[in-house]
PDB file of all heavy atoms in Angstrom:
ATOM      1  N   SER H  41       1.633  21.743 -21.911  1.00  0.00           N
ATOM      2  CA  SER H  41       2.167  21.997 -23.243  1.00  0.00           C
ATOM      3  C   SER H  41       1.126  22.720 -24.095  1.00  0.00           C
ATOM      4  O   SER H  41       0.548  23.695 -23.644  1.00  0.00           O
ATOM      5  CB  SER H  41       2.583  20.667 -23.873  1.00  0.00           C
ATOM      6  OG  SER H  41       1.487  19.789 -23.915  1.00  0.00           O
ATOM      7  N   ALA H  42       0.876  22.210 -25.281  1.00  0.00           N
ATOM      8  CA  ALA H  42       0.052  22.940 -26.245  1.00  0.00           C
ATOM      9  C   ALA H  42      -1.302  23.390 -25.701  1.00  0.00           C
ATOM     10  O   ALA H  42      -1.640  24.564 -25.782  1.00  0.00           O
ATOM     11  CB  ALA H  42      -0.129  22.086 -27.495  1.00  0.00           C
ATOM     12  N   ALA H  43      -2.055  22.448 -25.118  1.00  0.00           N
ATOM     13  CA  ALA H  43      -3.412  22.780 -24.683  1.00  0.00           C
ATOM     14  C   ALA H  43      -3.412  23.867 -23.624  1.00  0.00           C
ATOM     15  O   ALA H  43      -4.169  24.836 -23.714  1.00  0.00           O
ATOM     16  CB  ALA H  43      -4.111  21.531 -24.172  1.00  0.00           C
ATOM     17  N   ASP H  44      -2.552  23.723 -22.602  1.00  0.00           N
ATOM     18  CA  ASP H  44      -2.501  24.703 -21.534  1.00  0.00           C
ATOM     19  C   ASP H  44      -2.015  26.055 -22.048  1.00  0.00           C
ATOM     20  O   ASP H  44      -2.496  27.101 -21.632  1.00  0.00           O
ATOM     21  CB  ASP H  44      -1.562  24.226 -20.419  1.00  0.00           C
ATOM     22  CG  ASP H  44      -2.249  23.208 -19.521  1.00  0.00           C
ATOM     23  OD1 ASP H  44      -3.388  22.830 -19.839  1.00  0.00           O
ATOM     24  OD2 ASP H  44      -1.639  22.791 -18.535  1.00  0.00           O
ATOM     25  N   PHE H  45      -1.070  26.010 -22.933  1.00  0.00           N
ATOM     26  CA  PHE H  45      -0.504  27.220 -23.501  1.00  0.00           C
ATOM     27  C   PHE H  45      -1.597  28.048 -24.171  1.00  0.00           C
ATOM     28  O   PHE H  45      -1.691  29.256 -23.977  1.00  0.00           O
ATOM     29  CB  PHE H  45       0.541  26.790 -24.532  1.00  0.00           C
ATOM     30  CG  PHE H  45       1.500  27.860 -24.920  1.00  0.00           C
ATOM     31  CD1 PHE H  45       2.519  28.230 -24.070  1.00  0.00           C
ATOM     32  CD2 PHE H  45       1.386  28.494 -26.138  1.00  0.00           C
ATOM     33  CE1 PHE H  45       3.411  29.218 -24.422  1.00  0.00           C
ATOM     34  CE2 PHE H  45       2.268  29.478 -26.510  1.00  0.00           C
ATOM     35  CZ  PHE H  45       3.285  29.841 -25.651  1.00  0.00           C
ATOM     36  N   GLU H  46      -2.442  27.356 -24.913  1.00  0.00           N
ATOM     37  CA  GLU H  46      -3.549  28.036 -25.582  1.00  0.00           C
ATOM     38  C   GLU H  46      -4.504  28.639 -24.550  1.00  0.00           C
ATOM     39  O   GLU H  46      -4.979  29.754 -24.714  1.00  0.00           O
ATOM     40  CB  GLU H  46      -4.294  27.019 -26.448  1.00  0.00           C
ATOM     41  CG  GLU H  46      -4.932  27.611 -27.683  1.00  0.00           C
ATOM     42  CD  GLU H  46      -5.311  26.518 -28.672  1.00  0.00           C
ATOM     43  OE1 GLU H  46      -4.429  26.065 -29.430  1.00  0.00           O
ATOM     44  OE2 GLU H  46      -6.470  26.112 -28.638  1.00  0.00           O
ATOM     45  N   LYS H  47      -4.743  27.885 -23.488  1.00  0.00           N
ATOM     46  CA  LYS H  47      -5.636  28.370 -22.424  1.00  0.00           C
ATOM     47  C   LYS H  47      -5.079  29.626 -21.768  1.00  0.00           C
ATOM     48  O   LYS H  47      -5.819  30.532 -21.401  1.00  0.00           O
ATOM     49  CB  LYS H  47      -5.808  27.298 -21.345  1.00  0.00           C
ATOM     50  CG  LYS H  47      -6.664  26.124 -21.753  1.00  0.00           C
ATOM     51  CD  LYS H  47      -7.944  26.093 -20.931  1.00  0.00           C
ATOM     52  CE  LYS H  47      -8.896  24.996 -21.338  1.00  0.00           C
ATOM     53  NZ  LYS H  47      -9.678  25.311 -22.523  1.00  0.00           N
ATOM     54  N   GLN H  48      -3.769  29.668 -21.620  1.00  0.00           N
ATOM     55  CA  GLN H  48      -3.156  30.835 -20.978  1.00  0.00           C
ATOM     56  C   GLN H  48      -3.391  32.092 -21.813  1.00  0.00           C
ATOM     57  O   GLN H  48      -3.708  33.151 -21.281  1.00  0.00           O
ATOM     58  CB  GLN H  48      -1.657  30.584 -20.783  1.00  0.00           C
ATOM     59  CG  GLN H  48      -1.361  29.563 -19.706  1.00  0.00           C
ATOM     60  CD  GLN H  48       0.088  29.106 -19.730  1.00  0.00           C
ATOM     61  OE1 GLN H  48       0.577  28.612 -20.735  1.00  0.00           O
ATOM     62  NE2 GLN H  48       0.780  29.270 -18.617  1.00  0.00           N
ATOM     63  N   VAL H  49      -3.244  31.955 -23.123  1.00  0.00           N
ATOM     64  CA  VAL H  49      -3.443  33.109 -24.001  1.00  0.00           C
ATOM     65  C   VAL H  49      -4.929  33.483 -24.044  1.00  0.00           C
ATOM     66  O   VAL H  49      -5.283  34.669 -23.996  1.00  0.00           O
ATOM     67  CB  VAL H  49      -2.906  32.818 -25.423  1.00  0.00           C
ATOM     68  CG1 VAL H  49      -3.257  33.942 -26.372  1.00  0.00           C
ATOM     69  CG2 VAL H  49      -1.395  32.627 -25.376  1.00  0.00           C
ATOM     70  N   GLU H  50      -5.777  32.482 -24.085  1.00  0.00           N
ATOM     71  CA  GLU H  50      -7.226  32.752 -24.072  1.00  0.00           C
ATOM     72  C   GLU H  50      -7.639  33.461 -22.787  1.00  0.00           C
ATOM     73  O   GLU H  50      -8.441  34.391 -22.808  1.00  0.00           O
ATOM     74  CB  GLU H  50      -8.014  31.443 -24.203  1.00  0.00           C
ATOM     75  CG  GLU H  50      -8.133  30.955 -25.637  1.00  0.00           C
ATOM     76  CD  GLU H  50      -8.763  29.566 -25.716  1.00  0.00           C
ATOM     77  OE1 GLU H  50      -9.383  29.116 -24.727  1.00  0.00           O
ATOM     78  OE2 GLU H  50      -8.617  28.939 -26.773  1.00  0.00           O
ATOM     79  N   ALA H  51      -7.087  33.004 -21.675  1.00  0.00           N
ATOM     80  CA  ALA H  51      -7.412  33.620 -20.386  1.00  0.00           C
ATOM     81  C   ALA H  51      -6.943  35.072 -20.363  1.00  0.00           C
ATOM     82  O   ALA H  51      -7.639  35.958 -19.864  1.00  0.00           O
ATOM     83  CB  ALA H  51      -6.779  32.830 -19.246  1.00  0.00           C
ATOM     84  N   ARG H  52      -5.764  35.315 -20.923  1.00  0.00           N
ATOM     85  CA  ARG H  52      -5.222  36.680 -20.983  1.00  0.00           C
ATOM     86  C   ARG H  52      -6.170  37.590 -21.758  1.00  0.00           C
ATOM     87  O   ARG H  52      -6.474  38.703 -21.346  1.00  0.00           O
ATOM     88  CB  ARG H  52      -3.847  36.620 -21.649  1.00  0.00           C
ATOM     89  CG  ARG H  52      -3.233  37.951 -21.948  1.00  0.00           C
ATOM     90  CD  ARG H  52      -1.788  37.755 -22.313  1.00  0.00           C
ATOM     91  NE  ARG H  52      -1.550  37.493 -23.715  1.00  0.00           N
ATOM     92  CZ  ARG H  52      -0.560  36.712 -24.182  1.00  0.00           C
ATOM     93  NH1 ARG H  52       0.240  36.094 -23.358  1.00  0.00           N
ATOM     94  NH2 ARG H  52      -0.384  36.551 -25.471  1.00  0.00           N
ATOM     95  N   GLN H  53      -6.642  37.087 -22.898  1.00  0.00           N
ATOM     96  CA  GLN H  53      -7.520  37.909 -23.728  1.00  0.00           C
ATOM     97  C   GLN H  53      -8.885  38.098 -23.059  1.00  0.00           C
ATOM     98  O   GLN H  53      -9.475  39.174 -23.137  1.00  0.00           O
ATOM     99  CB  GLN H  53      -7.649  37.275 -25.116  1.00  0.00           C
ATOM    100  CG  GLN H  53      -6.316  37.368 -25.878  1.00  0.00           C
ATOM    101  CD  GLN H  53      -6.237  36.499 -27.115  1.00  0.00           C
ATOM    102  OE1 GLN H  53      -7.092  35.653 -27.359  1.00  0.00           O
ATOM    103  NE2 GLN H  53      -5.187  36.686 -27.904  1.00  0.00           N
ATOM    104  N   ALA H  54      -9.363  37.039 -22.395  1.00  0.00           N
ATOM    105  CA  ALA H  54     -10.637  37.154 -21.679  1.00  0.00           C
ATOM    106  C   ALA H  54     -10.501  38.145 -20.519  1.00  0.00           C
ATOM    107  O   ALA H  54     -11.411  38.943 -20.257  1.00  0.00           O
ATOM    108  CB  ALA H  54     -11.071  35.784 -21.161  1.00  0.00           C
ATOM    109  N   TYR H  55      -9.363  38.107 -19.859  1.00  0.00           N
ATOM    110  CA  TYR H  55      -9.081  39.047 -18.765  1.00  0.00           C
ATOM    111  C   TYR H  55      -9.135  40.486 -19.295  1.00  0.00           C
ATOM    112  O   TYR H  55      -9.753  41.368 -18.698  1.00  0.00           O
ATOM    113  CB  TYR H  55      -7.697  38.721 -18.194  1.00  0.00           C
ATOM    114  CG  TYR H  55      -7.197  39.641 -17.114  1.00  0.00           C
ATOM    115  CD1 TYR H  55      -7.765  39.623 -15.845  1.00  0.00           C
ATOM    116  CD2 TYR H  55      -6.143  40.516 -17.350  1.00  0.00           C
ATOM    117  CE1 TYR H  55      -7.292  40.460 -14.844  1.00  0.00           C
ATOM    118  CE2 TYR H  55      -5.664  41.349 -16.356  1.00  0.00           C
ATOM    119  CZ  TYR H  55      -6.236  41.321 -15.111  1.00  0.00           C
ATOM    120  OH  TYR H  55      -5.765  42.153 -14.124  1.00  0.00           O
TER     121      TYR H  55
END
Side-chain angles (χ1 to χ4, degrees):
S41 57
D44 280 5
F45 197 75
E46 210 164 278
K47 287 246 176 281
Q48 289 168 303
V49 173
E50 279 173 17
R52 172 168 88 213
Q53 291 166 350
Y55 176 71

